[in-house]
Amino acid sequence: MQQDASPLESLRREYRPRVPAALTAPVSELGFADTHPAASPADAATVAARFPRTAGRPVATLVRSGAEKPLVPRPVRAGVVLSGGPAPGGHNVIAGLLDALQDIHAHSTLVGFLGGPAGILRGRKIALDERVVAPFRNTGGFDLLGSGRDKIETDEQLKASAATCRELALDAVVVVGGDDSNTNAAVLAEHFLEHDVPTAVVGVPKTIDGDLKNRDIEASFGFDTATKVYAELIGNIGRDAPSSRKYWHFVKLMGRSASHVTLECALATRPNVALIAEEVLASGATLASIVDGIADAVAARAESGRPYGVVLVPEGLIEFVPEIRALIDDLNALLANRAGDPDARALVAEALPASSRAVFERLPEGFRGQLLLDRDAHGNVQVSKIETERLLIDLVAAELGRRRARGTFAGAFHAQHHFLGYEGRCAAPSNFDADYTYALGRLAALLALAGRTGYVATLRGLAGPAESWTAAGVPIASMFHVESRKGRPTPVIRKALVDLHGRPFLEFAANRARWAIEDAYRCPGPIQYFGPPEVADSRTVTLLLERGE
Amino acid sequence: MQQDASPLESLRREYRPRVPAALTAPVSELGFADTHPAASPADAATVAARFPRTAGRPVATLVRSGAEKPLVPRPVRAGVVLSGGPAPGGHNVIAGLLDALQDIHAHSTLVGFLGGPAGILRGRKIALDERVVAPFRNTGGFDLLGSGRDKIETDEQLKASAATCRELALDAVVVVGGDDSNTNAAVLAEHFLEHDVPTAVVGVPKTIDGDLKNRDIEASFGFDTATKVYAELIGNIGRDAPSSRKYWHFVKLMGRSASHVTLECALATRPNVALIAEEVLASGATLASIVDGIADAVAARAESGRPYGVVLVPEGLIEFVPEIRALIDDLNALLANRAGDPDARALVAEALPASSRAVFERLPEGFRGQLLLDRDAHGNVQVSKIETERLLIDLVAAELGRRRARGTFAGAFHAQHHFLGYEGRCAAPSNFDADYTYALGRLAALLALAGRTGYVATLRGLAGPAESWTAAGVPIASMFHVESRKGRPTPVIRKALVDLHGRPFLEFAANRARWAIEDAYRCPGPIQYFGPPEVADSRTVTLLLERGE
């Protein structure tokens, strides 16, 4: 469904993404060279056994002239699918893909599968040409095709996908997705090779969560834009705090298990407190110790005449607190297949193990009810629905109440809660994400032409100017490790959690004591598409610390 | 407390606001001419009796040369206070004031009162010079001075204010605030005249709520920026809806009683449903009929394969639904002075009037608890804390459940809730708000020099370029009507609610049926400070419809 363009969108349609010269060079001058070994998966033997045709291959770097196998232009028939949660820049992957396919050969064609991977299974698709794609250039959202979270896993699903690709005579399918979707792309690639389906499967690394990141993938697309939107808002809230001098703002941030979004926003906005779930897990912190830490900050700031503050809370926090994890597991075990059971409370009082019952009883009443009521179709607690930001407010207020009774706290504590997620997932891509995704789309087309199946498109040197990025296909299987899924050891892409020894976390850790006490708030402001490069072409703090000079 | 500037803030410090030439002309070439009668207050006799010295005066238009009384440059000693909720541009009022005072005479001085009107009462202040003000030019927030909601009303408070102004030998105090604060400024002006305090009181119209608007005030400052931030986010959410095809997003918006913010955001983003509280009141709609209307939209969209949507809800809605208003009044009467009473529920079951009890019983359990528990120190229901967006989700889900049982609805309904307010109040001012507030500050300095006490600074022609705006002081008393406050008839500035016969509402009403069914979502994107004027210098839809060509 084409939306009615705003003035900014109309202007942005004309934006020409900047890309490394190699990506727009005549195709016949280009080739992929197997330049160096890919990373070694954590459990190489298991991966090799499961992926005999696609494991163990080297990195394929895009080179100009002198390539072992120069690319030979021919019409390419390609499909593209958007998978999982939307991320800014998805439409530019499609635009880059379309432009490169046309540059490769005027008779190339592109179809878009509708509604995510289910579109492949059911053969639901639309033809993508310039007329269709033009209004979506440099826009946010996945609404050109829609998205979906279906997986292609079972034999039946793999066969249905093969049938669709054969029927459409596709040379390639480009899968735009996160860790699970790219894992799925590798499964599909292996299956197609095994069954002589002549369709290459190429991945493109997407997710605002920032957790699809490794030796070869410097950043997943969308992280830059989404964190800038959240940082804009947190920056504004951080201006409001010392203006109104009245509220502590607890801001929960999307990002699933990983705390990359929270860490990036903390580095960009310098809140008083930012919780990093990976650190909580590593330290074995209890909920009480987390609450104590926040209460300490509230008390210290109250003493210096600052009854206000900003606290960032990652979405995944609650699962990383060991005692809460245990409680959730115990509740799930106890209440499985009893969704909607009105006697859940009595059952919990009777049968919950003593340690978890003690944790449960210390939670505020509203949250006890939420844990019992908000369960999914299988009766499991829906962790993503737990309002951690409100839970923390209640618990901090209770702790400060105890301190007040003891005479150790005399200040005020009023709080506001926020949850930022949907506000940024479909923002129009920043210049960085617009450039990055367009270039990834062009690279995916070249990988498709080269028949490099089971590879993910990667660009390196992202901290520097687009013109100097280097392009390569990296075997997805090289990013695998083995996890237990549905009780079976399964190779999947290793999800990148925040590295507690990495520069972004260390930078945060070195400053947070000062940020807790001072008003060090920083206001990055909204994404700028025009103007001086220091604002229009900025990178995330995370990327600069990890990959900058 | 000076914040650590972000790259954008550093750049914006250098931005030179555009203002009408008259505001930067040599002071000796300028004067105020009493050009035309001010508006007539609704109850002129009461106002005249209460404001014998400041009511009934004409509009004082700023003119170049030929003024009846040309301005005579001299050192001016001025104070400034920020009052009420922060709004983007407050710091630029101060910057404009400072620059104009310096242009009037190099020996002029400016002090800023700290923490709102309480700063005047207690004489808490800081000296404002270029060194102090420079880092705050074109930034959001009120953190340079802080704000506060205290009023200057009692004899004692009026005397304390007079003492502060005498002690500092102030020629003028500039009050930056909303309807209540400007009402207060008029009270102070009248008091000072009555008691020969030689300090002029000049108002500047501020509020993101957009409800300080009348014949002479085209827009309060901050409305432009705040609604653009909210529209950015709603636009992103409106991209997410058809991308994920999964959720109905219910977005509550700040704005106190008036629905201007919601109406502007609706015009800018074209959601499926936008509730306008003033229309609900005028039509006497019940909560059930509102819920029915939303459920109809959900059902119609489900039928056309669109199980998603966007609903905007003004913060003030709940008070405008007659039955809820009655319930709240009954609860307040019943529970006054019983804050925290554990027997509130039993009391309600026994003693709430039957009509209100029926309304109460139909509310979801969580909200019944909220109404009973979240009461202020006087035991009153805290209307602003009622989570209307969640209440509507629960009620719509229940209504759809009934339709499903009857076989008239077969779709899915999953919802997300959002509340946007603090995210935008302290955003850095848009170019429009930066220009507007800087010009208002300069104008306030000229009104101060002219000794025009009890006037509010106004600029007209805001839909056009800044260079062509006209400047005038308008007597605050001309904006009064009489309301009962604390049981006494009291002249106050009439709060502007959404005019159901005005062009913004009519434009919305003419399009909403189409927006309900189609995906007409519009994505305005983030505020741009650079780039082509159609994005960097845009106005609100409301202003263009009300005041445009």
Side-chain angles (χ1 to χ4, degrees), chain A residues 251-412:
Chain A
V251 185
K252 187 171 77 171
L253 289 158
M254 259 194 188
R256 293 196 305 177
S257 310
S259 300
H260 298 290
V261 171
T262 297
L263 180 57
E264 169 61 25
C265 289
L267 291 166
T269 66
R270 306 178 184 174
N272 303 105
V273 177
L275 302 170
I276 302 298
E278 291 84 344
E279 186 185 28
V280 167
L281 182 68
S283 68
T286 62
L287 193 54
S289 68
I290 294 169
V291 166
D292 250 0
I294 300 174
D296 288 347
V298 172
R301 291 179 59 79
E303 291 236 329
S304 67
R306 299 190 176 110
Y308 56 84
V310 178
V311 179
L312 303 188
V313 182
E315 179 180 40
L317 177 74
I318 201 74
E319 291 180 83
F320 281 65
V321 181
E323 69 201 283
I324 302 288
R325 182 70 262 170
L327 168 64
I328 291 170
D329 288 345
D330 287 341
L331 282 174
N332 285 344
L334 195 61
L335 301 172
N337 305 314
R338 303 178 76 111
D341 187 337
D343 296 330
R345 182 154 299 223
L347 197 64
V348 162
E350 271 172 40
L352 199 64
S355 59
S356 280
R357 190 158 67 231
V359 172
F360 185 74
E361 297 299 342
R362 280 201 302 270
L363 294 176
E365 164 56 26
F367 288 89
R368 293 203 296 264
Q370 207 173 41
L371 284 173
L372 298 182
L373 288 173
D374 281 349
R375 287 181 288 140
D376 67 16
H378 307 290
N380 288 322
V381 172
Q382 294 192 270
V383 177
S384 69
K385 287 205 175 173
I386 299 177
E387 296 181 285
T388 322
E389 68 283 22
R390 303 181 77 156
L391 174 62
L392 289 174
I393 289 172
D394 284 2
L395 293 174
V396 168
E399 168 59 22
L400 291 169
R402 286 188 292 273
R403 295 186 187 192
R404 189 175 284 115
R406 287 200 305 267
T408 58
F409 175 72

Side-chain angles (χ1 to χ4, degrees), chain A residues 87-122:
Chain A
H91 290 152
N92 265 26
V93 172
I94 294 171
L97 190 54
L98 177 69
D99 289 355
L101 288 172
Q102 288 301 305
D103 285 352
I104 289 170
H105 198 289
H107 290 163
S108 294
T109 57
L110 180 63
V111 299
F113 291 105
L114 297 174
I120 302 180
L121 297 177
R122 295 173 200 153

